[in-house]
Each structure stands twice: as C-alpha cells, then as structure tokens.
Amino acid sequence: SFPVGWVVKNRIYISTVCSSSDTVSLNMSEFPVALPHGTIDEVFPDVFFVSGMMKANFHGTDYQYGRNMVIVREGETLTLINTLRLNSEGLEALNALGRVENVVRLGGYHGRDDQFYVNEYEAKLWMFPNMPSADDRKQAVNLLKQGNVPFTRCNPLQFESCSNVPEGLLVIEQDGGIVVSCDSIQNWDTPDKYFDTSTTEAFTKMNFFSPANIGPVWFKSSGVTLADVKRVLELKFTHLLSAHGTPLKDSAYEQVSKSIAKLEAQPQESGIPAALAHGEIEEVFPNVFHVEGLMKATYDAEYNFGRNMTVEQLPPGVLHRLEGKTAPHIYANCNLQPSELCNDFCNKLRCCFTLQNTNGRSSLSSWICRGTFVVRTG
C-alpha cells in the first residue's frame, strides 16, 4: 500500500507488465514465509475471509499491520483474492473447502504470496491488464476484464486512470453485491490486532483509520482521478470485503458514498503542488538561470530544506512540467539513504536541480521534484 520504488521485504517489483496473456518470469529463490493469521470464516454463503499479519520495510523503517484474503467457492473450485499465505493448519482448512484453481491480484502493490499458491496448486493467475507481474517462473497470466473472469458471478472494475500502478476491484454478484477491494477501499475503523505501536502511530497520521476509506496513500500515489474513483458508485453492492480492515456488511454503499463525498469536498491539487517560498531568478551564466526555494517533504518525519533549480534557456516548447516524480525517486537514484537526508540532502541533490550533467548521469537531469519546471535535455 505504498508508492512504487519502496522496497518491501520478501517482495520484488519489476518493470515487466502484462498487457496480454503473456508468459513472464522472475528470479526469487524462495517464497515468503507464512506470517501469523487467524481462522478462515464463512462471511457469506461460499465466500470466506481470513485475516493475517503483514511485515514490510519502507526506506529503512519497519511496519507491521493487517491484511486479508477472500476465498470464493463455486462448486468445488476455489478462487483466492488478495492472497495471504497460510500455515500448514490453515492450508488444511483451505483444502477442506475445495480445490484452489484461481489466484486473483487486484492491486499493483500486492502479490507477495500469489506465486506460492500458483506453484503449490498449479492455479491460474488473474490480474488486470498492464499490472506489474509478481511471478517467479514462467506462468500464463489471465487478464481480468469483462467477459473473462475466474468465476461466473464475478463483475470486475479496473480504475482506468491508475497511471502509476494498476488497481481494480470486483463485485461478487450475490447477497445484494459484495465488493472485494485491495488498496482502493479499506475498512480499518481502528487498528487490528496485527498492528504494532509504531505502525499505528504512523498510519494514524496518514489518516488510514476510517470506515470504507479511500486508501489515502493509494489515492495520492497511484495516479487515479477522483472521477475514476466515483465510478464505484455505478456498481450495485451492499457489502465490502477489503484487503485491509474488517468486513463491512449491509451499509457498504452508503459508507463508500460518504468517503467519496468527503474526498470530493477536499481541495484537489490534480497532482500539482502549490508554490512554496522562493527567491529571485538570477542569470548566473549567459543563458543559464538559477533560483533557490523551499522544499517540504514527509518521510519518517517532516523536513524543510532548500532546493536549487537551474534552467538553461532553450527555444520555446522545450520546457516541460514533469509531474509525479517525487523526492524519494530522486534520492534513490542518487543512492542516498534516509539517514542522510537531514544533513546532506541539499548538497548531494544539488546536481539534480541543474541541467549541467556534472555528475555524468544524464538521467538525473530530467527527473526533478514533482511540480518543478525543468528543461529536458535528452
């Protein structure tokens, strides 16, 4: 549930995407271990729910929180959605329900345990078009879309504007409609038993704890538009089973409507941050201009620091406003660690705010902090 580029333990992100029924491969030596989890409960007829723990490390900080897997039974066939690896006792309970034939990945930030079930049961892997692959062997990917679904009462919806990481959800067409979501809609009213204290504090600050909540990090990082999110209200549903939080029965449509209305009432930046304090533009060399200004960012704590931008005067049409590239991407490219941010950020990133390739790494000259005017030189 975190932006692309954040490294998660026991998980690998790759650039390969599935745009058709492709065969893809990754190099993982072993599957992630099973973490503590609860029992499999039948929450609706032939629809089961199990909660467990997730541990992840984002930029040197450990997080621990809960996640859920949904199991849908059709005859003897089981479909696993938002997979969570079960221990031996849990697998026995799973096998008693039927035969695992399908694994469904709804969110691009998930997929840690997909390949375990694909390998263990020779199950089919389903995901939305253009979603990053999470396989570790050659495996045909079944595209999840209208008319191509893992079970008959499945109605998928993909968020079409998720330019950074694809995401979608599906409706199980029974009992008035059951939405199964990943990171897009979460139902953490309060921290569950799998949270540790530090994660609870961090997630509270990020406004994760609210019924039928539009995932705050997902909404900001995925590239999704509010109009696209509102398409959920065109679906018919009464209940919600999210990858995060407890089952929400009977009032899901009303609660999701309230969350979207609350989001709609907030000022929308459309991906373009407001201008911060800055100085005057000065011509430091012929046709080369320099300006210093304030940058604010939140990592594990909030930092204020200076930034520099140098713009070389080029013919009209060369200037570009590059959006969606935030500071974490930059210091990752510069091999900076979070502990270095306070003392060295400005000095070590000064080269990122100039178009003179003094460090010999041309890629850094084009990708500057989100919302900054730069010149693309190559």
Side-chain angles (χ1 to χ4, degrees), residues 11-39:
R11 177 171 169 190
I12 300 175
Y13 291 98
I14 62 171
S15 59
T16 301
V17 296
C18 303
S19 57
S20 61
S21 279
D22 298 325
T23 299
V24 292
S25 179
L26 280 183
N27 295 318
M28 276 180 71
S29 60
E30 60 183 15
F31 303 121
V33 299
L35 297 174
H37 61 79
T39 58

Side-chain angles (χ1 to χ4, degrees), residues 115-140:
Q115 192 57 42
F116 168 78
Y117 289 103
V118 169
N119 183 77
E120 184 74 11
Y121 294 95
E122 297 185 352
K124 297 177 182 178
L125 178 63
W126 298 76
M127 58 178 68
F128 287 106
N130 301 314
M131 184 171 286
S133 173
D135 301 338
D136 73 341
R137 64 168 185 153
K138 291 185 180 299
Q139 169 66 35

Side-chain angles (χ1 to χ4, degrees), residues 257-279:
S257 298
K258 291 179 181 179
S259 294
I260 291 177
K262 182 179 178 181
L263 193 63
E264 194 170 20
Q266 298 175 359
Q268 300 298 316
E269 296 182 348
S270 301
I272 304 176
L276 299 178
H278 62 80

Side-chain angles (χ1 to χ4, degrees), residues 96-112:
L97 298 178
R99 181 178 62 257
V100 176
E101 292 194 5
N102 300 300
V103 169
V104 178
R105 186 180 184 200
L106 296 179
Y109 295 141
H110 281 236
R112 174 188 186 271

